[in-house]
Amino acid sequence: MDTNRRNFVKTGAAALAAVGIHNTLGGSVLAPSGVLGANEKINLALIGARNMGWYDLEDLLKQPNMECKTLCDVDDSVLKEKAGELVKLGLKKPNLEKDYRKVLDDKDIDAVIVGTPDHWHCLPVVEACQAGKHVYVEKPLGNSIGEINAMLDAARRYKSLVQVGQQQRSGSHWKNAIEFVRSGKLGTIRHVKFWANFNYGAGNKPVPDSVPPAGVDYDLWLGPAPLRPFNQNRFHGSWRMFRDYGGGLMTDWGVHLVDMGLWAMDVKTSPTSVQSLGGNFASRENALEMPDTLTVLYEMDGYNMSWEHNGGVETGPYDQNYGVMFMGSNGTLVADRDRWRIFPEGNNDGLRMDPLEDQPSDHKSHINHCENFVRAIRYGDALAAEIGIGYLSALYSHLGNISYRAGEKVVYDEKARKISSSKLADSLVTPEYRKPWLFPSI
Ligand SMILES: NC(=O)c1ccc[n+]([C@@H]2O[C@H](COP(=O)([O-])OP(=O)(O)OC[C@H]3O[C@@H](n4cnc5c(N)ncnc54)[C@H](O)[C@@H]3O)[C@@H](O)[C@H]2O)c1
């Protein structure tokens, strides 16, 4: 792509996003502008290709005029497999790269997908913004509060479009559920509850440390995380249950579900306080650091908000192993990725609200989310999950984990970007990066 067009892709779309006006669901609506011809190709690179990043790439490549120029992963076998899949799809063989910094040096790449484990979101996203690229970054935005603040600053300063992989924001049945909550039909909402019960949240059986698999640059996989011997349980896929790389179920599912509550209740700031209780109660023998059992109470203005997860089980309230519940005086709305439902309240005098048939999902949230990212770059459409949205739900989720780790109720001062209630909890806000990696300063 020539330099002028690259600048236009960046500044044109970001400038339009900046003048967006707010619609009733809190997003922005932009006048159609036709900023960029639909025939202009957008060059993509994928950083972290094994699982979710690959799904993101697949759906982004279904959009018109997209090309994957480079695949980047620290594992040769992932690079080989995914490059083969692109060729099988009849697409050009991409460049293969192990070091994401070389991807960001390529001036022809317009946008990057960051599909690495959570501890490897911050640096590539900040540096991609600095390199003038747009970003589709998987959720949770970062692995700590310090990181999500730095990422927010970078996106704002360099005016990059950053879509966070919270695809429920692009799901039509979620949008309808949020509108219903906001309509007032449920009456006064007193409790917003989220829960996530998943077997994988109990971790795996321990295995001994070993040598890293051939073709894996393990030092680069660890990156800014502390150096330690390789262990399969802390690697591909299962890194989520170890705090150097992820935040367990609280952040893995928390950001998706808490986001629905923040959206419906139009929350724009941190909670008044956060109190968590939990532990590794059911899977003491397994390899995991994050609690298999956690309950978090968020102090909100005029209602309660709560999170609960249980690893190792897959049943739950309303016969759903995960979900979001809005309890109102007239009825309760319960939603998951398949549908939303209403449970009207009433007594002998009758129901306090009209019953409603179950509202099914069309299961198109992910493809819609990818389309939205491309349209934001091409035409200036407002991003469905712009970085501020990813920031806020990650903040709530990380505060839940910090309260658990510190063993105390925490109060976060969003302006000062500090946990004002305790030095111990505040020390958990920003991780120490392992040299030579430096925590970004924007
Ligand atoms: N939006 C969703 O619904 C959803 C679902 C699943 C996962 N995710 C998110 O996607 C991200 C990836 O999760 P996953 O399940 O795909 O993990 P994974 O472990 O299966 O894949 C991560 C890939 O990143 C690679 N990688 C690690 N460090 C790298 C580096 N420095 N440079 C390049 N590649 C690197 C690994 O080798 C691996 O191939 C996580 O943040 C996760 O929370 C989101």
Side-chain angles (χ1 to χ4, degrees):
M1 181 192 278
D2 71 65
T3 330
N4 282 343
R5 196 177 79 80
R6 268 185 51 74
N7 284 340
F8 197 64
V9 169
K10 186 171 166 58
T11 50
L16 281 165
V19 299
I21 50 166
H22 283 275
N23 69 12
T24 51
L25 289 183
S28 298
V29 188
L30 290 157
S33 58
V35 184
L36 187 69
N39 293 332
E40 306 268 17
K41 190 176 72 181
I42 293 177
N43 282 322
L44 289 172
L46 168 60
I47 301 170
R50 181 173 170 270
N51 179 34
M52 196 61 204
W54 173 254
Y55 295 128
D56 297 334
L57 178 67
E58 280 189 316
D59 275 355
L60 284 166
L61 288 175
K62 287 176 190 155
Q63 309 307 317
N65 266 314
M66 308 294 288
E67 184 170 313
C68 175
K69 188 163 181 226
T70 305
L71 285 180
C72 169
D73 203 288
V74 299
D75 184 339
D76 282 339
S77 65
V78 171
L79 284 176
K80 194 170 163 219
E81 181 197 327
K82 299 305 180 192
E85 288 194 34
L86 286 177
V87 173
K88 262 194 255 158
L89 289 169
L91 301 171
K92 216 154 87 182
K93 185 171 186 299
N95 299 330
L96 302 182
E97 191 52 72
K98 261 183 156 155
D99 186 334
Y100 77 91
R101 291 167 295 190
K102 295 202 181 127
V103 176
L104 300 182
D105 283 344
D106 183 343
K107 302 259 177 293
D108 275 344
I109 288 172
D110 306 300
V112 293
I113 305 160
V114 177
T116 45
D118 306 353
H119 72 291
W120 252 128
H121 287 185
C122 179
L123 286 176
V125 170
V126 167
E127 291 165 23
C129 293
Q130 288 168 333
K133 311 206 184 296
H134 299 305
V135 182
Y136 187 112
V137 56
E138 264 313 328
K139 50 48 64 178
L141 182 60
N143 197 33
S144 65
I145 294 176
E147 288 174 329
I148 61 175
N149 280 324
M151 295 162 89
L152 187 68
D153 290 348
R156 300 281 188 251
R157 170 155 183 204
Y158 298 103
K159 298 189 168 41
S160 288
L161 295 171
V162 178
Q163 175 91 306
V164 183
Q166 290 174 206
Q167 65 272 7
Q168 290 178 185
R169 283 271 174 167
S170 295
S172 49
H173 91 291
W174 285 109
K175 286 184 201 170
N176 295 338
I178 303 300
E179 261 171 16
F180 195 93
V181 174
R182 289 183 168 198
S183 73
K185 289 180 187 151
L186 295 171
T188 307
I189 309 272
R190 91 220 5 216
H191 189 183
V192 180
K193 174 184 165 82
F194 321 101
W195 68 99
N197 298 342
F198 287 94
N199 282 332
Y200 78 86
N204 295 329
K205 288 207 163 38
V207 294
D209 292 341
S210 58
V211 288
V216 169
D217 185 335
Y218 175 57
D219 189 69
L220 195 51
W221 188 95
L222 284 173
L227 186 61
R228 63 148 356 263
F230 179 86
N231 189 290
Q232 190 62 43
N233 274 332
R234 304 171 66 102
F235 191 49
H236 286 338
S238 46
W239 48 262
R240 300 167 150 70
M241 304 314 291
F242 297 89
R243 74 173 70 92
D244 288 337
Y245 328 118
L249 283 173
M250 175 76 258
T251 54
D252 211 30
W253 271 87
V255 291
H256 283 304
L257 301 178
V258 171
D259 183 32
M260 297 299 98
L262 302 178
W263 189 12
M265 303 305 282
D266 202 19
V267 176
K268 301 275 195 273
T269 56
S270 56
T272 309
S273 72
V274 183
Q275 169 88 66
S276 305
L277 278 178
N280 189 354
F281 297 141
S283 12
R284 290 173 210 272
E285 308 300 315
N286 281 358
L288 76 164
E289 287 173 349
M290 302 315 293
D292 63 17
T293 308
L294 189 73
T295 298
V296 184
L297 288 177
Y298 294 99
E299 186 182 351
M300 309 298 286
D301 189 10
Y303 57 96
N304 275 355
M305 206 165 93
S306 67
W307 165 265
E308 183 180 310
H309 74 238
N310 299 284
V313 295
E314 298 214 334
T315 56
Y318 299 95
D319 215 8
Q320 289 180 196
N321 69 318
Y322 72 93
V324 183
M325 177 210 83
F326 298 91
M327 181 176 278
S329 43
N330 297 339
T332 294
L333 184 150
V334 178
D336 67 8
R337 288 180 174 178
D338 292 327
R339 62 183 167 170
W340 58 275
R341 295 178 283 164
I342 296 294
F343 296 84
E345 295 295 337
N347 53 24
N348 290 342
D349 297 334
L351 295 177
R352 288 187 217 129
M353 65 179 293
D354 291 336
L356 187 75
E357 64 204 31
D358 290 6
Q359 303 290 304
S361 161
D362 61 7
H363 296 292
K364 288 188 178 154
S365 59
H366 190 263
I367 187 103
N368 290 348
H369 210 48
C370 290
E371 183 187 12
N372 168 253
F373 179 56
V374 173
R375 289 192 57 87
I377 295 173
R378 282 195 197 286
Y379 307 120
D381 284 17
L383 287 170
E386 67 91 25
I387 190 162
I389 285 169
Y391 154 83
L392 199 62
S393 57
L395 176 68
Y396 274 68
S397 302
H398 284 304
L399 286 171
N401 274 341
I402 288 179
S403 169
Y404 162 71
R405 285 177 67 194
E408 55 193 47
K409 180 165 159 173
V410 297
V411 175
Y412 183 64
D413 179 341
E414 210 177 354
K415 215 163 162 205
R417 296 182 164 182
K418 282 181 81 65
I419 293 186
S420 51
S421 50
S422 119
K423 278 206 168 113
L424 169 64
D426 192 53
S427 71
L428 304 175
V429 163
T430 303
E432 210 167 293
Y433 272 24
R434 178 172 69 105
K435 287 194 173 73
W437 305 101
L438 295 175
F439 194 86
S441 72
I442 314 302

